[in-house]
Amino acid sequence: MQFLFIGSRARTSKPGLRTYIRGGTNPVGPGTTWVRRYFITKDITADENPGYCADDYEAQHSTVDDNARYVDVKDYEKQLNQLPSAALRKAMRHGEWVMEGQFFSEWEERRAIRDAAGELIGWHDWHVIEKLPTHKGKSIVDCNWVDVIRVVDWGYAEEGNPGMVQWWACLPGPRMICFKEWVFKLTLPADVAKEITKRSLGMKVRYTVMDTQMFAEHEGPSVGELMAREGISGIEADKEREAGWLNVHTWLRETVYVGTTEVPRLQFLKPRYPGDELGCPVTIRSLPQMVVNPKNPSDMVTVGVEDEGADDTRYAVMSRPGASVENEAPRESQWIRDHITKKTRQRSRMGAENTRRSA
């Protein structure tokens, strides 16, 4: 806020002149999230700052590799590697935007590529991907064999956290990609249901997981019941926190192979542009901002933070999602096949037994 206040003082009455404000920071510590959102991701909404214009904010990024002419890179890297935490080492050495006490320490938007000597030669997508994988020339969300699960975290009041819906593609591995999200406030259950239906058109939805508070009943119908009247029903989320976070840690850390390429089991699609219907910008922004609860290291701080993306992700992995299988026979057809096969085997055994008896 100090930066914005200084900006309100930077003005001139001389024609042809334009005022600028410059600042420098490392990508770690208090204010990291603010700087990143204003200068890097540029995802400030009109509700947050009605006067925000992304073109007014420019970031110039550099690391020790960009200053090789002026410093001994290997010696400086040796010094940086002595920093006490992985977060600080990532921030000061590679310029990654991280937080001290980061709850999801496994989180890596992109992963470094190094040569045999350990030298950095590039980067590749890791937990955050720029585009969806394809299968036989089609995007995975356009493949009719790929199952999608939806996760709903309820929120209504103007103050406090909003509600959120995530859409996850279940892929072989198993692995999952969160490819879509919708954040809402002050929206009635019936309207939420209608919006979910509209945003799910063409998808093969396996099931919908819902926050348990959506099933709470008193004298009147629950939120879940009101949504079910509009065609969106679901199963109650498993809200066990410590086991849930352990599962999220596991899915973030474990990898599978797609051909010869190693990928994490959880990935999140980055939108191509502001307002893109595909992508999950709030989840991507908020997950790395979660910090460890000092009173309970197995949990994270929940007061005053955007935790709806983390909660939805926890509900998703705790629902025991299985992998989609291409060309999988419908369960009814497979049951019939199994039944016919069983009867055929019985007739064969009976025929062989009759033959032996007659002999």
Side-chain angles (χ1 to χ4, degrees), residues 222-281:
S222 66
V223 172
E225 182 179 341
L226 294 173
M227 290 181 60
R229 293 176 183 177
E230 297 297 332
I232 298 295
S233 57
I235 59 175
E236 291 192 45
D238 184 339
K239 297 188 72 170
E240 172 59 37
R241 295 186 66 83
E242 293 191 15
W245 297 136
L246 182 58
N247 272 274
V248 176
H249 289 309
T250 300
W251 279 73
L252 286 171
R253 183 176 300 179
E254 289 184 344
T255 61
V256 297
Y257 279 88
V258 180
T260 58
T261 303
E262 186 180 20
V263 297
R265 292 180 66 196
L266 278 190
Q267 290 183 305
F268 302 81
L269 178 66
K270 182 179 180 180
R272 294 165 296 175
Y273 50 84
D276 187 4
E277 65 174 16
L278 293 180
C280 45

Side-chain angles (χ1 to χ4, degrees), residues 78-99:
K78 181 180 178 182
Q79 296 178 46
L80 294 179
N81 283 338
Q82 297 180 55
L83 290 170
S85 72
L88 280 173
R89 292 192 292 271
K90 287 180 180 180
M92 306 299 282
R93 174 62 184 89
H94 302 299
E96 294 188 37
W97 293 85
V98 297
M99 295 189 68

Side-chain angles (χ1 to χ4, degrees), residues 267-313:
Q267 290 183 305
F268 302 81
L269 178 66
K270 182 179 180 180
R272 294 165 296 175
Y273 50 84
D276 187 4
E277 65 174 16
L278 293 180
C280 45
V282 175
T283 303
I284 290 173
R285 180 182 74 235
S286 60
L287 277 181
Q289 295 177 20
M290 300 298 101
V291 296
V292 174
N293 183 344
K295 296 181 179 179
N296 181 8
S298 297
D299 204 351
M300 64 186 192
V301 173
T302 59
V303 178
V305 298
E306 292 180 293
D307 62 351
E308 57 273 9
D311 283 340
D312 268 12
T313 301

